[in-house]
Amino acid sequence: MVKKLGRNDPCWCGSSKKYKKCHAEFDDKLESYRLQGHIVPPREIIKNPAQIAGIRASGKINTAILDYITDHIKIGISTEEIDQLVYQKTLELGGHPAPLNYRGYPKSICTSVNDQICHGIPSPEVILKEGDIVNIDVSTIYQGYFSDSSRMFCLGEVEPTTAKLVQVVREAVELSLSEVKPWNFLGDVSHVIYQHAKKHGYSVVREFGGHGIGLEFHETPWVSFVAPAGTEMLMVPGMIFTIEPMINLGTHELYLDPNGWTAYTADGKPSAQWEVMVLVTEDGHEVLAH
Ligand code: MF3
Ligand code: CO
């Protein structure tokens, strides 16, 4: 049985302030949300300043790796070569690729081309050609802290309808960021994304979502991008999670490759994804990786 925290005891957050001067009021507020039937964050996912600093540093490396790929991706490169570039760059920057050997995943990144929704596995046989779109999903462990973000790339001249999809998924993520602030709900974020996709006649993937991150690769909460406003977990300062919607030109339905990882659109039409890692701050948010 855990002893109940006294008001003069040191706060659970590790600040070494007295509980009553630190998170006591916060805990009362959270309890009142919980009593109203809302999902409130468990303490374990609320990061302290030292953890935030570590995760921020990891996110900087992740962003730098994607900047590096932005400079090197071109028609004729294989997804295997991109994987190698990321592997080498990550080690050079003092990190380790989080996907490598994660639950048996064989590579350092995910490279999802055209109708691949997510978790495309890099291969020397997949050579990027004119008109392709590809999501490069990079995740880094740096000094024990995890980061995760992804971008879309258009190779050469892309069909206008497909290029528009890529633009809209990026816009959706950017628009949704204004909803990331304390005492909003994750559903407020997904609502913006869903509405933006719907406005353009696109569908939003249901089976994959964002996730808490920082001390582990995938932490609670799971982040839906089809949830209504005012639902899902309450956001509070110190929470870190990814926003990574997958938006399809046609149906939201998918099928899984026999490799057990790669998801494809059921109708073969293109899918696009953008991913940022974000921290909820006292007065809004900070993007930690993009
Ligand atoms: N960045 C991807 C995600 O968060 C990584 C998936 S796990 C992997 O969904 F093993 F496929 F990399
Ligand atoms: Co992710």
Side-chain angles (χ1 to χ4, degrees), residues 24-38:
E25 216 176 294
F26 171 90
D27 282 349
D28 288 344
K29 191 166 174 180
L30 227 57
E31 183 60 7
S32 76
Y33 273 95
R34 197 181 65 78
L35 291 172
Q36 288 167 51
H38 290 295

PDB file of all heavy atoms in Angstrom, residues 24-38:
ATOM      1  N   ALA A  24      -0.124  19.882  -5.939  1.00  0.00           N
ATOM      2  CA  ALA A  24      -1.359  19.571  -5.179  1.00  0.00           C
ATOM      3  C   ALA A  24      -2.594  20.123  -5.880  1.00  0.00           C
ATOM      4  O   ALA A  24      -3.580  19.399  -6.112  1.00  0.00           O
ATOM      5  CB  ALA A  24      -1.265  20.110  -3.764  1.00  0.00           C
ATOM      6  N   GLU A  25      -2.528  21.379  -6.269  1.00  0.00           N
ATOM      7  CA  GLU A  25      -3.668  22.022  -6.930  1.00  0.00           C
ATOM      8  C   GLU A  25      -3.954  21.345  -8.290  1.00  0.00           C
ATOM      9  O   GLU A  25      -5.105  21.114  -8.658  1.00  0.00           O
ATOM     10  CB  GLU A  25      -3.324  23.491  -7.169  1.00  0.00           C
ATOM     11  CG  GLU A  25      -4.477  24.448  -7.018  1.00  0.00           C
ATOM     12  CD  GLU A  25      -4.000  25.879  -7.190  1.00  0.00           C
ATOM     13  OE1 GLU A  25      -3.223  26.367  -6.343  1.00  0.00           O
ATOM     14  OE2 GLU A  25      -4.381  26.485  -8.217  1.00  0.00           O
ATOM     15  N   PHE A  26      -2.861  21.041  -8.989  1.00  0.00           N
ATOM     16  CA  PHE A  26      -2.935  20.338 -10.278  1.00  0.00           C
ATOM     17  C   PHE A  26      -3.661  18.996 -10.116  1.00  0.00           C
ATOM     18  O   PHE A  26      -4.572  18.679 -10.883  1.00  0.00           O
ATOM     19  CB  PHE A  26      -1.501  20.138 -10.790  1.00  0.00           C
ATOM     20  CG  PHE A  26      -1.365  19.254 -11.992  1.00  0.00           C
ATOM     21  CD1 PHE A  26      -1.433  19.791 -13.272  1.00  0.00           C
ATOM     22  CD2 PHE A  26      -1.127  17.884 -11.850  1.00  0.00           C
ATOM     23  CE1 PHE A  26      -1.287  18.974 -14.386  1.00  0.00           C
ATOM     24  CE2 PHE A  26      -0.985  17.074 -12.959  1.00  0.00           C
ATOM     25  CZ  PHE A  26      -1.064  17.611 -14.234  1.00  0.00           C
ATOM     26  N   ASP A  27      -3.273  18.247  -9.080  1.00  0.00           N
ATOM     27  CA  ASP A  27      -3.899  16.935  -8.849  1.00  0.00           C
ATOM     28  C   ASP A  27      -5.390  17.077  -8.549  1.00  0.00           C
ATOM     29  O   ASP A  27      -6.201  16.267  -9.017  1.00  0.00           O
ATOM     30  CB  ASP A  27      -3.206  16.199  -7.694  1.00  0.00           C
ATOM     31  CG  ASP A  27      -1.883  15.581  -8.119  1.00  0.00           C
ATOM     32  OD1 ASP A  27      -1.610  15.539  -9.339  1.00  0.00           O
ATOM     33  OD2 ASP A  27      -1.122  15.141  -7.233  1.00  0.00           O
ATOM     34  N   ASP A  28      -5.754  18.113  -7.812  1.00  0.00           N
ATOM     35  CA  ASP A  28      -7.179  18.354  -7.510  1.00  0.00           C
ATOM     36  C   ASP A  28      -7.951  18.636  -8.798  1.00  0.00           C
ATOM     37  O   ASP A  28      -9.059  18.145  -8.998  1.00  0.00           O
ATOM     38  CB  ASP A  28      -7.341  19.544  -6.546  1.00  0.00           C
ATOM     39  CG  ASP A  28      -6.876  19.192  -5.138  1.00  0.00           C
ATOM     40  OD1 ASP A  28      -6.727  17.981  -4.847  1.00  0.00           O
ATOM     41  OD2 ASP A  28      -6.643  20.120  -4.335  1.00  0.00           O
ATOM     42  N   LYS A  29      -7.343  19.442  -9.651  1.00  0.00           N
ATOM     43  CA  LYS A  29      -7.993  19.790 -10.919  1.00  0.00           C
ATOM     44  C   LYS A  29      -8.181  18.541 -11.789  1.00  0.00           C
ATOM     45  O   LYS A  29      -9.259  18.323 -12.364  1.00  0.00           O
ATOM     46  CB  LYS A  29      -7.141  20.838 -11.650  1.00  0.00           C
ATOM     47  CG  LYS A  29      -7.831  21.478 -12.832  1.00  0.00           C
ATOM     48  CD  LYS A  29      -7.101  22.729 -13.302  1.00  0.00           C
ATOM     49  CE  LYS A  29      -7.731  23.274 -14.578  1.00  0.00           C
ATOM     50  NZ  LYS A  29      -7.055  24.474 -15.075  1.00  0.00           N
ATOM     51  N   LEU A  30      -7.123  17.718 -11.832  1.00  0.00           N
ATOM     52  CA  LEU A  30      -7.180  16.483 -12.614  1.00  0.00           C
ATOM     53  C   LEU A  30      -8.292  15.574 -12.085  1.00  0.00           C
ATOM     54  O   LEU A  30      -9.049  14.980 -12.859  1.00  0.00           O
ATOM     55  CB  LEU A  30      -5.835  15.759 -12.495  1.00  0.00           C
ATOM     56  CG  LEU A  30      -5.218  15.249 -13.777  1.00  0.00           C
ATOM     57  CD1 LEU A  30      -5.012  16.372 -14.776  1.00  0.00           C
ATOM     58  CD2 LEU A  30      -3.877  14.575 -13.492  1.00  0.00           C
ATOM     59  N   GLU A  31      -8.383  15.486 -10.758  1.00  0.00           N
ATOM     60  CA  GLU A  31      -9.399  14.635 -10.131  1.00  0.00           C
ATOM     61  C   GLU A  31     -10.807  15.117 -10.500  1.00  0.00           C
ATOM     62  O   GLU A  31     -11.701  14.311 -10.755  1.00  0.00           O
ATOM     63  CB  GLU A  31      -9.192  14.627  -8.604  1.00  0.00           C
ATOM     64  CG  GLU A  31     -10.143  13.731  -7.832  1.00  0.00           C
ATOM     65  CD  GLU A  31     -10.088  12.244  -8.207  1.00  0.00           C
ATOM     66  OE1 GLU A  31      -9.202  11.851  -8.988  1.00  0.00           O
ATOM     67  OE2 GLU A  31     -10.969  11.495  -7.739  1.00  0.00           O
ATOM     68  N   SER A  32     -10.979  16.422 -10.585  1.00  0.00           N
ATOM     69  CA  SER A  32     -12.324  16.915 -10.936  1.00  0.00           C
ATOM     70  C   SER A  32     -12.664  16.587 -12.392  1.00  0.00           C
ATOM     71  O   SER A  32     -13.804  16.256 -12.711  1.00  0.00           O
ATOM     72  CB  SER A  32     -12.469  18.408 -10.628  1.00  0.00           C
ATOM     73  OG  SER A  32     -11.811  19.170 -11.593  1.00  0.00           O
ATOM     74  N   TYR A  33     -11.672  16.625 -13.271  1.00  0.00           N
ATOM     75  CA  TYR A  33     -11.907  16.185 -14.664  1.00  0.00           C
ATOM     76  C   TYR A  33     -12.260  14.696 -14.692  1.00  0.00           C
ATOM     77  O   TYR A  33     -13.155  14.274 -15.412  1.00  0.00           O
ATOM     78  CB  TYR A  33     -10.670  16.432 -15.532  1.00  0.00           C
ATOM     79  CG  TYR A  33     -10.619  17.818 -16.146  1.00  0.00           C
ATOM     80  CD1 TYR A  33      -9.906  18.850 -15.533  1.00  0.00           C
ATOM     81  CD2 TYR A  33     -11.279  18.094 -17.345  1.00  0.00           C
ATOM     82  CE1 TYR A  33      -9.856  20.120 -16.097  1.00  0.00           C
ATOM     83  CE2 TYR A  33     -11.238  19.354 -17.921  1.00  0.00           C
ATOM     84  CZ  TYR A  33     -10.521  20.365 -17.295  1.00  0.00           C
ATOM     85  OH  TYR A  33     -10.482  21.607 -17.857  1.00  0.00           O
ATOM     86  N   ARG A  34     -11.529  13.918 -13.891  1.00  0.00           N
ATOM     87  CA  ARG A  34     -11.748  12.473 -13.875  1.00  0.00           C
ATOM     88  C   ARG A  34     -13.174  12.163 -13.409  1.00  0.00           C
ATOM     89  O   ARG A  34     -13.866  11.338 -13.991  1.00  0.00           O
ATOM     90  CB  ARG A  34     -10.735  11.792 -12.946  1.00  0.00           C
ATOM     91  CG  ARG A  34     -10.602  10.283 -13.168  1.00  0.00           C
ATOM     92  CD  ARG A  34      -9.614   9.654 -12.204  1.00  0.00           C
ATOM     93  NE  ARG A  34     -10.085   9.749 -10.821  1.00  0.00           N
ATOM     94  CZ  ARG A  34     -11.023   8.965 -10.280  1.00  0.00           C
ATOM     95  NH1 ARG A  34     -11.570   8.003 -10.990  1.00  0.00           N
ATOM     96  NH2 ARG A  34     -11.394   9.135  -9.015  1.00  0.00           N
ATOM     97  N   LEU A  35     -13.609  12.894 -12.387  1.00  0.00           N
ATOM     98  CA  LEU A  35     -14.962  12.672 -11.850  1.00  0.00           C
ATOM     99  C   LEU A  35     -16.038  13.051 -12.859  1.00  0.00           C
ATOM    100  O   LEU A  35     -17.145  12.539 -12.818  1.00  0.00           O
ATOM    101  CB  LEU A  35     -15.146  13.437 -10.531  1.00  0.00           C
ATOM    102  CG  LEU A  35     -14.312  12.892  -9.370  1.00  0.00           C
ATOM    103  CD1 LEU A  35     -14.382  13.817  -8.156  1.00  0.00           C
ATOM    104  CD2 LEU A  35     -14.760  11.470  -8.998  1.00  0.00           C
ATOM    105  N   GLN A  36     -15.687  13.948 -13.777  1.00  0.00           N
ATOM    106  CA  GLN A  36     -16.641  14.300 -14.847  1.00  0.00           C
ATOM    107  C   GLN A  36     -16.635  13.290 -15.997  1.00  0.00           C
ATOM    108  O   GLN A  36     -17.314  13.496 -17.004  1.00  0.00           O
ATOM    109  CB  GLN A  36     -16.309  15.683 -15.413  1.00  0.00           C
ATOM    110  CG  GLN A  36     -16.638  16.850 -14.479  1.00  0.00           C
ATOM    111  CD  GLN A  36     -16.001  18.140 -14.961  1.00  0.00           C
ATOM    112  OE1 GLN A  36     -16.157  18.508 -16.117  1.00  0.00           O
ATOM    113  NE2 GLN A  36     -15.260  18.797 -14.085  1.00  0.00           N
ATOM    114  N   GLY A  37     -15.815  12.246 -15.853  1.00  0.00           N
ATOM    115  CA  GLY A  37     -15.828  11.174 -16.848  1.00  0.00           C
ATOM    116  C   GLY A  37     -14.753  11.293 -17.914  1.00  0.00           C
ATOM    117  O   GLY A  37     -14.732  10.519 -18.877  1.00  0.00           O
ATOM    118  N   HIS A  38     -13.831  12.240 -17.753  1.00  0.00           N
ATOM    119  CA  HIS A  38     -12.769  12.397 -18.755  1.00  0.00           C
ATOM    120  C   HIS A  38     -11.609  11.444 -18.487  1.00  0.00           C
ATOM    121  O   HIS A  38     -11.424  10.971 -17.373  1.00  0.00           O
ATOM    122  CB  HIS A  38     -12.253  13.837 -18.745  1.00  0.00           C
ATOM    123  CG  HIS A  38     -13.246  14.817 -19.287  1.00  0.00           C
ATOM    124  ND1 HIS A  38     -13.667  14.800 -20.595  1.00  0.00           N
ATOM    125  CD2 HIS A  38     -13.917  15.835 -18.683  1.00  0.00           C
ATOM    126  CE1 HIS A  38     -14.542  15.766 -20.793  1.00  0.00           C
ATOM    127  NE2 HIS A  38     -14.731  16.409 -19.645  1.00  0.00           N
TER     128      HIS A  38
END
